[in-house]
Amino acid sequence: MKRILEVVGFLLLLWGVGGLVHEWFDGFRMWTVVDKLSWFDGYEIYANIVLAAAGLALVVAAERSGRTAAHARGSGDS
């Protein structure tokens, strides 16, 4: 489960940051997920910020869940 959260979080973070780079510098066209959805017309920057923040939160949550699981097993590594 930790690996799935890490992968999904990394993809969300990558899409969010790639979308922001595309909006600001007109680069990374391949990584624009929000730009392809018509619901966010006019709000692409905000949606990309939320996408990147959600991805970062998932990566941090995955890391913390892995640490607490290792601590519960008594491995002592943190």
Side-chain angles (χ1 to χ4, degrees):
M1 185 67 171
K2 178 185 174 205
R3 179 62 68 186
I4 293 171
L5 286 176
E6 285 177 341
V7 169
V8 171
F10 177 73
L11 286 175
L12 288 176
L13 183 63
L14 186 68
W15 288 334
V17 170
L20 286 172
V21 169
H22 172 70
E23 290 295 325
W24 290 331
F25 304 112
D26 203 32
F28 286 116
R29 182 97 177 129
M30 181 175 64
W31 294 104
T32 59
V33 174
V34 172
D35 196 38
K36 292 175 178 48
L37 301 173
S38 63
W39 325 318
F40 298 116
D41 285 346
Y43 298 100
E44 289 92 355
I45 292 177
Y46 302 114
N48 283 316
I49 290 171
V50 168
L51 201 64
L56 183 64
L58 276 177
V59 169
V60 169
E63 182 63 32
R64 287 194 177 200
S65 71
R67 268 197 235 157
T68 57
H71 185 65
R73 286 191 303 253
S75 66
D77 294 336
S78 53

